[in-house]
Amino acid sequence: MSGTSDTAGTSDTSVPRRRARRTTLLIAGAAVLGALAGTVTGYAVQYHREPTPLPPLAQQKMDGPKPAAMNDATSRRSVNAHRWHKADEELAKKLVDVPAGAQHSFSGAVSADAFAASWYLQPSDAVGGLIREGIKSVATASWAENDRNFVEVHLLQYRDRSGAEGFQAEMVGYMPEKDYAGNTGKDFPGVPADFGHLWIDSKAHEEPGYYPVRQARALIRRGDIVMVVEYTNARGAVDEKALVEIAKRQMERL
């Protein structure tokens, strides 16, 4: 009897455990099926309902310049006002004044990609380099004194001095090549050698059917700002004194 009791006791003890496990699995399976059935039913009901409109925005009208047709008063800035930052205005205010009566004049902030398009042979690659070097703002002034002499002044402000130093070093490196000035240039008068330089093309650039063109360039760095002044003559002769005078006026503004 004792053996029968032990066997019965073992059987009574083990069966409920197996039954409890099976019951738990059945309940879990039922819960999963119930959830799936509820989800499918919910999608089916939602499918037949009319779409609920979204609530209106808190600010339905955003402040900003309204589009307008271009006219004589349209500037590069007004074409897309959202591309500019207040820092661009501050740098543009430091540009040298365009002489009264100058022809084809412009003075103001320009975007980095616009500067790259006018300055580099491969603008798409160059604008990426400018951004990596930390370009912050660019401002340009340009004018024609007459039908022979043309002036361009560029101010480039970087987020720190290293970016300005990089631009300066790059220009000093390529200017002696024959496709540019063709010579090492000289120090800009009144500026330490490490901060200013001046080049005049060794010879004029000539193409059939065009006047000979010669350029002079001044490069000066002050802190995180680099200034470049280009003086171009469309007859093959450059007035170095005129370039130096413009560059000194720009230095005073900085």
Side-chain angles (χ1 to χ4, degrees):
M1 295 195 47
S2 62
T4 305
S5 295
D6 291 341
T7 305
T10 304
S11 178
D12 293 339
T13 305
S14 60
V15 171
R17 291 179 182 171
R18 290 196 296 269
R19 185 177 297 171
R21 182 180 180 186
R22 183 180 179 183
T23 304
T24 303
L25 292 175
L26 290 174
I27 294 173
V32 172
L33 291 176
L36 290 175
T39 302
V40 172
T41 303
Y43 277 118
V45 172
Q46 184 65 29
Y47 178 78
H48 293 286
R49 289 179 178 175
E50 292 293 330
T52 302
L54 294 174
L57 296 174
Q59 187 176 1
Q60 299 184 28
K61 295 184 178 180
M62 302 296 290
D63 293 335
K66 296 181 180 180
M70 297 182 64
N71 52 43
D72 295 338
T74 303
S75 66
R76 300 187 192 184
R77 184 182 181 85
S78 62
V79 171
N80 190 342
H82 295 292
R83 301 179 62 183
W84 310 98
H85 188 270
K86 186 174 179 60
D88 301 328
E89 298 179 358
E90 297 300 325
L91 184 64
K93 291 178 182 178
K94 298 178 181 180
L95 283 167
V96 65
D97 292 331
V98 176
Q103 306 171 15
H104 312 295
S105 63
F106 168 79
S107 180
V110 298
S111 60
D113 55 347
F115 172 76
S118 64
W119 185 266
Y120 294 98
L121 295 176
Q122 297 179 336
S124 58
D125 296 335
V127 70
L130 289 171
I131 294 173
R132 286 191 299 272
E133 292 169 3
I135 192 68
K136 185 178 179 180
S137 301
V138 183
T140 295
S142 61
W143 66 89
E145 295 181 346
N146 44 48
D147 63 344
R148 299 188 178 191
N149 297 318
F150 305 87
V151 180
E152 280 192 307
V153 180
H154 304 285
L155 298 181
L156 291 86
Q157 185 172 20
Y158 289 82
R159 301 191 182 280
D160 51 46
R161 291 190 178 187
S162 62
E165 291 173 351
F167 183 92
Q168 179 188 15
E170 181 183 8
M171 188 170 176
V172 171
Y174 66 70
M175 283 301 295
E177 298 177 9
K178 65 178 182 178
D179 291 336
Y180 297 95
N183 58 76
T184 57
K186 58 183 179 181
D187 296 340
F188 191 89
V191 177
D194 293 338
F195 295 90
H197 214 73
L198 171 67
W199 296 269
I200 298 178
D201 291 351
S202 297
K203 60 179 182 179
H205 298 272
E206 297 182 305
E207 293 185 15
Y210 294 90
Y211 287 115
V213 176
R214 182 172 298 198
Q215 279 191 328
R217 302 170 187 85
L219 168 67
I220 299 170
R221 178 175 62 84
R222 184 171 184 177
D224 58 359
I225 297 178
V226 179
M227 58 167 279
V228 180
V229 180
E230 292 185 320
Y231 194 92
T232 304
N233 179 272
R235 297 297 187 273
V238 171
D239 187 349
E240 180 179 344
K241 292 182 178 180
L243 169 67
V244 172
E245 180 183 352
I246 295 171
K248 286 186 174 181
R249 294 208 315 264
Q250 179 59 77
M251 288 172 58
E252 292 175 357
R253 295 297 296 267
L254 293 177

